[in-house]
Amino acid sequence: MPTISVGRDRLFAALGKTYTQEEFEDLCFRFGIELDDVTTEKAIIRKEKHLEEEETGEDEEVIYKIEIPANRYDLLCLEGIAQALRIFSGQQEMPKYNVANISRESIIKMHVKPETVSIRPYVVCAVLRGITFDEGSYNSFIDLQDKLHQNICRRRTLVAIGTHDLDTLHGPFTYEALPPSSINFVPLKQVNNFRADELMEFYKSDLKLKKFLHIIESSPVFPVIYDSNRTVLSLPPIINSAHSAITLKTKNVFIECTATDLTKAKIVLNTMVTTFSEQCERKFEIEPVEVIYSDGKSYICPDLSVYSMEVSLSYITGAIGVPLDAVKVTSLLNRMQLSAVQSVSGDDSSDITVSVPPTRSDVLHPCDVMEDVAIAYGYNNIKDIAIAKGYNISKGRAVSLRPLPLEEFSHLVRLEMAMCGFTEVLSFILCSHNDNFAMLNHEDDGSTAVIIENPRSSENETARTSLMSGLLKTVGQNKAHPKPIKIFEVGDVVLLDETGDVGATNRRQLAALYCGATAGYEICR
Amino acid sequence: MAEEAILGYLAKNQEIADSGEFAAQHGLNHDDVVNVIKSLHGFRYVDAQDIKRETWVLTDEGKTYAASGSPEVQLFLAIPPEGIPLEELQKKLDPLLFKIGRAQAAKNKWVEMGKQLVSRKVQHVNDTVKDLLLQIEGGKVIDQDDIKALRGRKLIATQTWNGYSVRKGPEYAPQRKKFAADLTREMLQSGEWKNLEFKEYNFNAKGQPIEGGHLHPLNKVRHQLRMIFLQMGFEEMPTDRFVESSFWNFDALFQPQQHPARDSHDTFYMKVPAITKELPEDYVERVKRVHESGGYGSRGYEYDWNRDEANKNLLRTHTTAISTRMLYLLAQKPFTPKRYFSIDRVFRNEAVDRTHLAEFHQIEGLICDRGLTLGDLIGVLHDFFSRLGMSKLRFKPAYNPYTEPSMEIFSYHEGFGKWVEVGNSGMFRPEMLLPMGLPEDVRVIAWGLSLERPTMILYGINNIRDLFGHKVDLGLIKANPICRLGVD
């Protein structure tokens, strides 16, 4: 489960409300994310450097570490989480993302050369026009790329993201694959020019980048993106150029995602642009780029199309188990970023038309829609109904049986005694008065034992009030048995009882006996 | 002997005032007397009070002076009336004796240390030091100033003397009774038991350790859980197969091939046998299609599904692999509702720490029937967990690749005072069930938890290696109480 670190105060500012930690945890719990840890920026650094814990200074920024589901790429940064929670709380409506309506001629072009097929066939691009970064959003922008690289991009093997300051570049762009020695540029954070083969060597000692070298290093050609002045934008998936690096002052961002998996590349691009389109001059508007392959086929990116699903109301309510009408269901879905309306078309007026936005690539099937209805309704609200209605499995054919605790417990005790090496005996409940009292040196005060009216013999005079006589009589009948004799019995005795409705009750007892050359008190103990 | 003397004396007298004197009077060794007094006191025959006395004894140095005279006198006597050169005098005496003697003699102004000659200043001297030492040896008391001087010269040292004054105790008898520790057969046969006193039972003492057998705590808990499932009408699944194919462990569950859980850092892949031998080909075809392009109402994952990936053998990462096989088998026949459970070992290639091992036991329950709802899942979870003593439950939305909806189950732990996660649950996705051939209105609800975690919480064990594996202390297994899960 991926974990995101967000500044608490920045998060609350984005949510437009300050929560206590408990309130926030409760919100997360209901939505389906988890506040994993609360720490400070400095504490994180101290931990990384293995330094001593110090007292938290008041000016240290509080960091929330939030765990999110692995299939929710839209929640991989503060902006995404904040937007999701605002919509969930009903504070805002789901934004509508759209591609800027600009003329075909003025769309920036990305030409793909055929050599890329052997190493990294696909690329998708987009432009964020008129964006304004502040320190927080700038850091978020970088962090989101990192998180995406780690997760859906499978450590850049499937998709690699490059972001560039468009004002430093001149379109159209080309995506090529060339021999390493013919690629030459100043990479990010460096001052000198490097050839691509030199860079591979150079980065072997870079802790972060050395992990990605294997993706291209044995290929005769490396992927590379140029602008029309043959300025290198990036050497995917390794590093961007210093020339086109993004700064706080950048106003126009060019994003390119090269990939071996086109579906995932689209999801990654969509995640990047939808999240940060809020910072653009024309909010939620993304400028398109045309990607032209060498076979002539061309595609306009990003593909922000909405995926439309027809879901039957009875499916939703039938699967959840709570009666809900269409109005309620659509309003619940809207809180989960799933635009929903009651279907107007056709025969079945109990269908819901769901428009799944590009940010919700995790929604594949009506069951995903059904889950979101359940979440918005509140799992724990369903619980209350389920319990109130006595929900049970298999609609009445269910069995749910429990043994009597007393019987279960007696059985467990018997096992333990046997495991200690004691042998179980089963003696008679009926016995003589003598056996029950005199032979045990007990006085009969008349308040303990029941008495049989018509005993056939003295052996049926009373019911035992103790297991002791049975054990002793057993030993008596087994005098020749090898010593030591270790026996036990778990069973009921019968006692007079004023409070019982008949005047007598049973009581379950355990008794054990040791007989040997010595009395063996310690053994019984 | 000492015991007779003491008990005998007390028969006629109130008190033995001083054990030291008593020992001396009766010709007994005082240490023996002390031991007897302690023993008698322990059994309350006598009541003994401590007496402490400080006495002075001679050090070894002191003893030599008491015998041969103090060094200053020895020196004095070594000087003839006419005097003697220093070197000669030195030769006459032991060097240490000379050094001390000279200092003391000079202090007493007995001698004149001339450059040529050492001569007597006075005619006679008395060896007071020797006299004092002899007096101390004889046990006489001497003057405090003298004591100080002698102590300063390290000729005497203190010694503490411990003794007792003794009176009759509550259990006094002129003769000590013998207590028998246990009743034996011989005593009964000889009749001796009639004359014996028996030691009181000590009901607070620990008993003797018993030879016997013990069951492992994890298996005790497992047994109780099995009983709970059976009582709830669940059938046991045959889980005796650890090696599984990726297909049954992942792909058939609609878990995509590029999912992190399939990484080698989470899953143990097999070197031998590396590849699975057999898979139901028509079913594999349907699974491939639903991954790649969806169907059954789904848009699928839209990636290229790789048969080689599915063929890889591994050690199962969850018993859900078995559940999947059981559901597939169920789908090949006319449908009947089923409830299944299993509790068995699973394997995860994770870092080992206080709460994680490479292998552990997973508990899984599932219900397969038409028209099941999320409410039904919540209802059955309440039944199940309340039998484990957890009736305060809360559910949190979660994510599993093969369930939708998914819920994490939290229970309120009174001891910790907080909500803790006790399990994971959900409804299997249609993309998993429909390719098997199960009817469209059949739904499967399932839940799972580990066996180790509740056992550790139940028995207060902090480190999983203390519970499971070869590093477990046998004493822990032996001392582990009865497992009452599902009983109360």
Side-chain angles (χ1 to χ4, degrees), chain A residues 329-496:
Chain A
V329 168
T330 51
S331 80
L332 288 174
L333 284 172
N334 288 332
R335 279 174 48 210
M336 300 300 288
Q337 304 176 43
L338 296 178
S339 202
V341 287
Q342 215 175 335
S343 305
V344 278
S345 67
D347 347 300
D348 207 317
S349 60
S350 57
D351 265 3
I352 314 281
T353 308
V354 182
S355 307
V356 182
T359 47
R360 292 298 306 272
S361 54
D362 61 296
V363 176
L364 305 176
H365 182 282
C367 66
D368 298 289
V369 173
M370 179 260 296
E371 182 191 66
D372 274 3
V373 173
I375 295 174
Y377 185 81
Y379 279 176
N380 295 297
N381 295 331
I382 300 173
K383 172 191 85 171
D384 295 334
I385 294 187
I387 296 175
K389 285 196 174 182
Y391 265 87
N392 216 326
I393 36 264
S394 302
K395 312 281 183 264
R397 285 184 297 249
V399 280
S400 182
L401 306 169
R402 294 178 191 231
L404 289 176
L406 181 58
E407 293 306 318
E408 262 299 289
F409 189 67
S410 302
H411 176 71
L412 292 170
V413 168
R414 283 190 187 100
L415 290 176
E416 290 295 324
M417 289 303 294
M419 290 196 288
C420 290
F422 281 70
T423 301
E424 187 175 17
V425 301
L426 204 55
S427 51
F428 298 126
I429 291 177
L430 296 176
C431 59
S432 68
H433 186 275
N434 201 34
D435 281 343
N436 204 43
F437 288 103
M439 295 305 285
L440 295 176
N441 270 355
H442 284 164
E443 287 271 330
D444 183 6
D445 62 358
S447 68
T448 329
V450 302
I451 304 174
I452 310 289
E453 227 271 323
N454 52 335
R456 192 177 276 272
S457 74
S458 64
E459 294 304 311
N460 311 133
E461 283 169 345
T462 182
R464 67 191 178 192
T465 58
S466 157
L467 298 174
M468 293 302 302
S469 52
L471 291 176
L472 289 165
K473 279 156 78 175
T474 306
V475 171
Q477 294 295 321
N478 281 278
K479 288 199 196 92
H481 193 80
K483 313 287 184 303
I485 296 175
K486 303 191 316 190
I487 54 174
F488 79 95
E489 184 162 5
V490 170
D492 283 2
V493 301
V494 184
L495 298 166
L496 288 173

Side-chain angles (χ1 to χ4, degrees), chain A residues 30-44:
Chain A
R30 284 181 286 120
F31 182 69
I33 57 182
E34 193 167 338
L35 179 60
D36 206 30
D37 195 13
V38 179
T39 179
T40 64
E41 186 75 50
K42 292 192 183 153
I44 295 176

Side-chain angles (χ1 to χ4, degrees), chain A residues 154 263 319 368 393 400 419, chain B residues 205 213 263 302 367 374 383 429:
Chain A
R154 308 289 281 136
T263 308
D368 298 289
I393 36 264
S400 182
M419 290 196 288
Chain B
D263 277 351
E302 296 172 66
I367 304 175
L374 197 58
D383 191 356
R429 291 190 73 106

Side-chain angles (χ1 to χ4, degrees), chain B residues 384-429:
Chain B
F384 179 79
F385 281 99
S386 66
R387 288 161 181 264
L388 301 178
M390 298 181 239
S391 27
K392 255 185 175 170
L393 297 180
R394 270 179 90 205
F395 302 92
K396 173 177 161 288
Y399 167 68
N400 296 316
Y402 43 90
T403 55
E404 189 87 3
S406 317
M407 303 194 301
E408 273 168 17
I409 311 159
F410 285 76
S411 160
Y412 191 74
H413 192 283
E414 298 290 341
F416 298 160
K418 61 176 186 169
W419 293 89
V420 291
E421 189 181 333
V422 294
N424 204 327
S425 66
M427 206 182 267
F428 283 155
R429 291 190 73 106

Side-chain angles (χ1 to χ4, degrees), chain A residues 137-147 163 246 272 276:
Chain A
S137 57
Y138 177 81
N139 287 334
S140 236
F141 192 70
I142 308 292
D143 286 345
L144 178 58
Q145 290 174 59
D146 255 341
K147 288 290 179 200
T163 55
I246 304 227
M272 289 293 302
F276 288 94

